[in-house]
């Protein structure tokens, strides 16, 4: 049962697509105050588990920390961080009488979940203008499914998107991309996509291709496709300010960029230098921005990743001006004791809250200051693309995912979880985040496997890929300047081949599971507690996940480990996928086990009474031969 409450004058985010009548009065859960801003506080039972928040830091159970929905470009996802790239305001209080809450509010919102006071759940935001949905159900899983129904069906990618993708910031020329293809094909490591980071463009200008490096881009796209590989370019939010660049000139002329208070176009520096942000919250501007994807689609491109769409700002002219005046004062006063403060000022230039108050969106004829709707930018940039695809090629499915997001965007594309690091702790964070993302509708998702920043080690890449076998988006991506981490860069490449091949052996099963989850508003990844609600031990397991109705995964995420402890809530068949299309099986009884897992193995636990289809590996999704299917399980 779902009840909808309205406070003040909410902004229509279009996160919820089902029509629900609004209730009078206040919900029966928690104390609500709408006097100074909005706040809801609820006393939790000691045993209540709090699920949700999608792309957020820390565990599956969100208790014990404070999270802030405020889409942020921050590449240091350390434990102390409260905000990441997405804003997903849905939580479930799972206890005696479970209920879910969705706060449809597009600006900054704080979820203090037993952080200030251990038994108090306190949700607050600056203005009391929002919709609050309260969902009652049998249990957390049931509540999630009800929520998923009202926000509409999740995005479905094309089948090739279930293959393996290789990416690295720094591939520039056709030759660079060709070498990646060769590195995989020559070593018989399957590959379906190579991602094109910002260097494919002409001076980082959206919807351009560097002509020197790609004299005939359409031909290049075709050549790769003949080898079974799609090129997937990045699109950034900021449009470079440059005379003669048609996207910029058109946007200025039509008034489609975000404006300052005085009506001039707001400028912010990102990779291309100064840019303007397309006003994707304005319907016409959104259509206009989306229409430009056609330039690449016409050259054979079938997928995109949308980036820097929090939107990320390195600095603004206003910010620089303020910094300079601070520096002049700093030098004049000879204040060498406040060097730290100076450092903070310089650091504070990027993604500053002040800048987000300096520009406006034009929505239905009204100017809306950006900070009031900040969390909707990435959502609407991706919506621009998704809506445009329907017009450009109505019968085609495109691969599309975004860095920043809000609930509602899950209908248009997936997400990747941004700039993680090559740290074991981030492999664990990846595992824990996946079911929470699913609760909020984001099914096609994954992290940068192997880690984006910092130098990766061989064993980390292998273990991370072994988890990536199960994430719908399986992509190895790394930052420029870090150690090369493509599968063929390391010794004993057959270990990497074995793991990536396992993905392909499981694609019929994983694709089917994904489709069922998308069609039935269900989850692909689930916490154990959702399948075994009566099992009190399962409720606390956060490093094992259920996938579909059939299997459980328990990835190894520590260095030098020979394996790991695994909890089985029921008897299961342990299948270890090894190299050369081989596997071993063993029945394990309910309870605790130490399971040895070699670096080249992928363990899968099949539930009692279930079986899964497995095929022989192929070099790309299109080459999977369904004639080779066999069933493993009970
Ligand atoms: C951002 C993206 C990252 C990309 C880089 C360069 O940091 O998150 O994935 O490689 O920009 O485009």
């Amino acid at each position: 049962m779902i009840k909808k409450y309205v406070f003040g004058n909410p902004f229509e985010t279009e996160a919820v697509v089902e029509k629900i009548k609004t209730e009078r009065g206040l919900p029966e859960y928690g104390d609500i105050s709408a006097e100074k801003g909005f706040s809801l506080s609820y006393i939790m039972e000691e045993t209540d588990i709090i699920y949700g928040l999608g792309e957020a830091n820390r565990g599956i159970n969100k208790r014990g920390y404070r999270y802030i929905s405020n889409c942020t470009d921050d590449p240091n996802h350390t434990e102390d961080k409260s905000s990441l790239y997405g804003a997903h305001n849905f939580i479930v209080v799972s206890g005696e009488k479970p209920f879910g809450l969705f706060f449809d509010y597009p600006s900054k919102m704080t979820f203090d979940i037993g952080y200030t006071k251990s038994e108090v759940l306190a949700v607050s935001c600056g203005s009391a203008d929002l919709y609050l949905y309260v969902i009652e159900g049998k249990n957390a899983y049931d509540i999630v499914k009800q929520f998923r129904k009202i926000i509409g069906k999740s995005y479905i990618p094309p089948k090739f998107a279930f293959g393996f993708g290789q990416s690295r910031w720094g591939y520039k020329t056709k030759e660079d991309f060709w070498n990646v293809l060769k590195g995989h094909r020559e070593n018989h490591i399957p590959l379906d996509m190579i991602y094109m980071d910002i260097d494919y463009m002409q001076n980082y200008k959206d919807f351009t291709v560097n002509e020197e490096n790609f004299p005939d881009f359409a031909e290049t796209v075709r050549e790769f496709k003949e080898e079974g590989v799609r090129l997937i370019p990045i699109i950034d939010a900021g449009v470079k300010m440059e005379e003669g660049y048609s996207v910029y000139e058109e946007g200025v002329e039509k008034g489609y960029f975000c404006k300052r208070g005085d009506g001039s176009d707001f400028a912010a520096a990102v990779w291309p230098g100064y840019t303007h942000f397309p006003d994707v919250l304005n319907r016409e501007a959104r259509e206009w921005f989306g229409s430009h994807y056609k330039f690449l689609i016409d050259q054979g491109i079938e997928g995109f990743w949308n980036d820097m769409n929090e939107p990320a700002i390195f600095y603004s002219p206003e910010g620089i001006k303020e910094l300079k005046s601070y520096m002049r004062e700093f030098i004049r006063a000879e204040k060498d004791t406040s060097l730290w403060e100076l450092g903070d000022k310089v650091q504070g230039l990027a993604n500053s809250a002040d800048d987000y108050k300096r520009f406006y969106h034009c929505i239905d004829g009204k100017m809306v200051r950006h900070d009031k709707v900040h969390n909707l930018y990435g959502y609407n940039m991706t919506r621009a693309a998704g809506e445009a695809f329907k017009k450009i090629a109505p019968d085609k499915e495109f691969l599309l995912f975004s860095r920043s997001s809000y609930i509602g965007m899950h209908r248009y594309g997936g997400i990747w979880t941004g700039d993680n690091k090559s740290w074991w702790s981030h492999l664990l964070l990846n595992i824990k985040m996946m079911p929470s993302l699913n609760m909020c509708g984001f099914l096609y998702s994954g992290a940068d496997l192997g880690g984006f920043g910092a130098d990766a080690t061989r064993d980390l890449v292998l273990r991370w890929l072994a988890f990536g076998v199960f994430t719908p988006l399986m992509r190895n991506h790394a930052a420029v300047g870090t150690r090369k981490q493509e599968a063929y860069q390391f010794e004993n490449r057959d270990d990497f081949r074995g793991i990536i091949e396992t993905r392909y052996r499981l694609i019929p099963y994983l694709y089917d599971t994904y489709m069922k989850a998308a069609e039935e508003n269900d989850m692909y990844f689930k916490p154990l507690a959702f399948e075994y609600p009566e099992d009190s031990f399962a409720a606390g397991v956060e490093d094992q996940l259920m996938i579909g109705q059939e299997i459980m995964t328990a990835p190894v995420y520590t260095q030098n480990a020979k394996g790991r402890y695994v909890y089985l809530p029921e008897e299961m068949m342990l299948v270890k996928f090894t190299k050369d299309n081989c596997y071993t099986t063993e029945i394990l009884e309910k309870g605790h086990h130490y399971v040895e897992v070699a670096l080249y193995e992928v363990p899968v636990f099949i539930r009692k009474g279930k079986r899964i289809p497995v095929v022989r590996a192929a070099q790309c999704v299109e080459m999977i031969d369904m004639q080779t299917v066999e069933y493993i399980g009970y």
Side-chain angles (χ1 to χ4, degrees):
M1 212 217 349
I2 304 185
K3 288 186 177 169
K4 176 182 178 184
Y5 299 87
V6 56
F7 298 90
N9 277 313
F11 185 88
E12 300 299 332
T13 67
E14 294 172 70
V16 172
V17 289
E18 209 160 271
K19 287 244 172 316
I20 300 169
K21 71 166 182 31
T22 46
E23 304 283 327
R24 284 170 211 272
L26 291 173
E28 63 173 290
Y29 300 95
D31 285 332
I32 289 184
S33 152
E35 307 259 290
K36 268 198 249 136
F38 171 90
S39 68
L40 175 147
S41 76
Y42 173 81
I43 308 293
M44 300 178 284
E45 292 295 328
E46 211 181 311
T47 49
D48 286 354
I49 293 179
I50 313 298
Y51 292 108
L53 293 185
E55 187 178 7
N57 214 345
R58 301 201 174 208
I60 294 178
N61 183 353
K62 303 312 273 188
R63 251 186 119 135
Y65 203 57
R66 187 192 48 193
Y67 304 87
I68 302 174
S69 286
N70 184 34
C71 298
T72 303
D73 165 33
D74 180 345
N76 293 306
H77 312 164
T78 44
E79 240 181 82
D80 56 329
K81 294 297 163 72
S82 304
S83 306
L84 300 175
Y85 307 90
H88 307 147
N89 300 338
F90 171 61
I91 55 171
V92 180
V93 177
S94 176
E96 204 48 28
K97 198 175 170 212
F99 63 95
L101 300 170
F102 174 52
F103 301 86
D104 190 8
Y105 178 75
S107 186
K108 202 170 178 171
M109 177 159 237
T110 302
F111 292 80
D112 181 330
I113 310 181
Y115 169 79
T116 304
K117 276 187 136 194
S118 59
E119 78 281 14
V120 179
L121 161 70
V123 183
S124 59
C125 57
S127 91
D129 297 296
L130 68 151
Y131 292 112
L132 169 58
Y133 296 81
V134 179
I135 309 167
E136 284 178 0
K138 283 200 299 278
N139 50 38
Y141 188 19
D142 175 43
I143 289 165
V144 166
K145 284 196 272 192
Q146 291 187 53
F147 175 62
R148 290 277 307 284
K149 184 156 176 281
I150 65 164
I151 58 173
K153 276 192 186 157
S154 297
Y155 158 78
I156 293 177
K159 200 163 182 192
F160 72 79
F162 286 82
F164 172 64
Q166 180 59 50
S167 185
R168 182 177 172 86
W169 176 10
Y171 301 153
K172 259 200 181 82
T173 61
K174 181 174 167 184
E175 206 193 348
D176 292 341
F177 290 93
W178 204 253
N179 286 337
V180 177
L181 176 81
K182 255 183 26 202
H184 286 83
R185 291 288 179 254
E186 282 175 1
N187 292 293
H188 305 287
I189 302 168
L191 182 72
D192 265 272
M193 291 149 287
I194 307 178
Y195 289 84
M196 307 186 91
D197 207 323
I198 46 174
D199 296 301
Y200 80 87
M201 298 184 228
Q202 187 71 50
N203 300 331
Y204 307 140
K205 286 183 283 189
D206 279 343
F207 314 115
T208 68
V209 174
N210 184 306
E211 284 173 17
E212 214 171 286
N213 293 334
F214 303 94
D216 186 346
F217 188 60
E219 173 64 13
T220 304
V221 174
R222 206 182 50 74
E223 283 168 39
F224 277 80
K225 203 172 159 186
E226 258 167 30
E227 299 292 328
V229 165
R230 262 83 169 182
L231 296 175
I232 310 293
I234 196 171
I235 302 292
D236 280 359
V239 170
K240 184 173 172 67
M241 293 166 58
E242 187 184 275
E243 302 271 299
Y245 166 38
S246 63
V247 184
Y248 161 76
E249 290 191 338
E250 246 176 68
V252 170
E253 192 199 306
K254 299 194 159 138
Y256 286 159
F257 293 125
C258 293
K259 305 260 183 252
R260 296 194 180 91
D262 66 4
S264 61
D265 291 327
F266 174 74
V270 207
W271 303 123
Y274 277 119
T275 66
H276 290 324
F277 294 135
D279 187 359
V280 286
L281 273 73
N282 170 293
R283 194 179 46 81
E284 265 179 43
R286 184 164 68 237
E287 275 174 20
W288 166 77
F289 188 74
S291 70
H292 284 284
Y293 284 78
K294 188 167 187 297
F295 167 75
L296 290 158
I297 294 172
D298 284 347
Q299 303 187 64
I301 291 297
E302 296 172 66
F304 299 89
W305 47 312
N306 282 346
D307 191 22
M308 306 303 275
N309 51 8
E310 292 68 32
I313 295 180
F314 296 165
Y315 53 85
S316 67
E318 291 88 343
I320 291 284
K321 197 168 156 211
E322 283 170 13
L323 179 70
K324 282 184 179 162
S325 98
Y326 175 85
M327 282 169 125
R328 274 192 289 272
E329 175 61 15
F330 180 85
I331 292 166
R332 196 191 55 76
E334 294 184 16
K335 295 201 287 189
D336 33 342
T337 48
S338 48
L339 258 183
W340 299 119
E341 195 180 298
L342 177 64
D344 287 348
K345 292 266 179 212
V346 175
Q347 290 259 313
L349 271 183
N351 308 315
S352 97
D354 290 344
D355 279 340
Y356 291 133
K357 290 185 186 145
R358 285 187 174 120
F359 62 98
Y360 293 78
H361 300 273
C362 178
I363 303 163
D364 299 329
K366 274 195 243 117
M367 299 307 275
V368 179
R369 205 172 72 189
H370 175 77
D371 62 318
K372 311 227 180 266
V373 287
H374 173 70
N375 291 338
L376 302 180
Y377 194 86
Y379 162 19
N380 281 285
M381 179 195 174
T382 299
R383 180 175 173 185
E387 288 175 341
F389 298 162
K390 292 268 171 296
K391 289 191 199 144
I392 298 166
D395 300 323
K396 204 175 159 62
E397 278 164 345
F398 286 86
L399 168 57
L400 179 63
F401 58 89
S402 171
R403 192 170 73 175
S404 187
S405 61
Y406 184 84
I407 291 173
M409 202 205 83
H410 69 287
R411 301 190 297 268
Y412 301 96
I415 56 173
W416 96 100
T417 59
D419 299 348
N420 58 9
K421 294 254 182 344
S422 297
W423 296 342
W424 293 89
S425 60
H426 279 181
L427 164 53
L428 180 57
L429 181 62
N430 181 192
I431 298 166
K432 292 181 179 183
M433 207 187 273
M434 297 312 290
S436 309
L437 285 172
N438 282 200
M439 291 174 203
C440 298
F442 296 95
L443 297 184
Y444 191 78
S445 47
D448 287 348
L449 303 174
F452 175 75
D455 290 338
T457 57
R458 179 178 183 276
D459 53 355
L460 176 68
V461 179
L462 281 166
R463 293 297 197 198
W464 212 328
L465 286 171
F467 174 60
V469 162
F470 302 100
T471 60
L473 166 62
M474 184 190 190
R475 179 178 80 143
N476 176 341
H477 179 47
V480 66
T482 58
R483 181 183 185 185
K484 297 210 167 117
Q485 66 186 44
E486 292 88 354
Y488 52 84
Q489 302 286 1
F490 299 98
E491 62 202 304
N492 299 339
R493 294 169 185 168
D494 53 332
D495 288 359
F496 290 85
R497 181 193 315 135
I499 294 207
I500 298 173
E501 279 186 345
T502 299
R503 162 69 163 216
Y504 284 73
R505 296 166 73 188
L506 291 171
I507 282 178
Y509 172 69
L510 300 177
Y511 183 68
D512 193 48
T513 303
Y514 185 95
M515 293 303 280
K516 275 190 204 141
E519 293 294 348
E520 290 161 22
N521 301 311
D522 204 336
M523 294 167 74
Y524 172 100
F525 281 117
K526 271 167 284 186
L528 267 53
F530 280 33
E531 284 293 332
Y532 305 96
E534 306 303 325
D535 184 329
S536 59
F537 191 85
V541 176
E542 296 218 340
D543 58 356
Q544 302 174 202
L545 302 173
M546 306 307 298
I547 299 173
Q549 302 302 317
E550 290 80 13
I551 65 173
M552 182 180 81
T553 172
V556 177
Y557 54 88
T558 45
Q559 191 160 30
N560 298 319
K562 295 260 176 296
R564 56 162 290 173
Y565 286 95
V566 179
Y567 173 66
L568 300 193
E570 62 176 322
E571 180 192 288
M572 290 188 187
M573 177 187 278
L574 165 60
V575 185
K576 284 187 197 165
F577 288 93
T578 60
K579 293 185 245 190
D580 305 320
N581 286 295
C582 296
Y583 62 85
T584 62
T585 65
E586 186 186 348
I587 303 281
L588 298 178
E589 62 197 43
K590 173 179 158 77
H592 298 269
H593 299 265
Y594 186 83
V595 174
E596 287 194 4
V597 186
L599 275 176
Y600 57 84
E601 286 175 333
V602 181
V604 173
F605 298 84
I606 303 181
R607 295 173 70 177
K608 200 168 177 184
K610 307 282 187 186
R611 57 176 201 165
I612 60 168
V614 177
V615 288
R616 279 186 74 82
Q619 288 297 286
C620 60
V621 173
E622 271 162 9
M623 285 169 71
I624 290 176
D625 179 2
M626 284 308 289
Q627 302 296 323
T628 63
V629 71
E630 63 174 306
Y631 287 86
I632 310 180
Y634 286 85

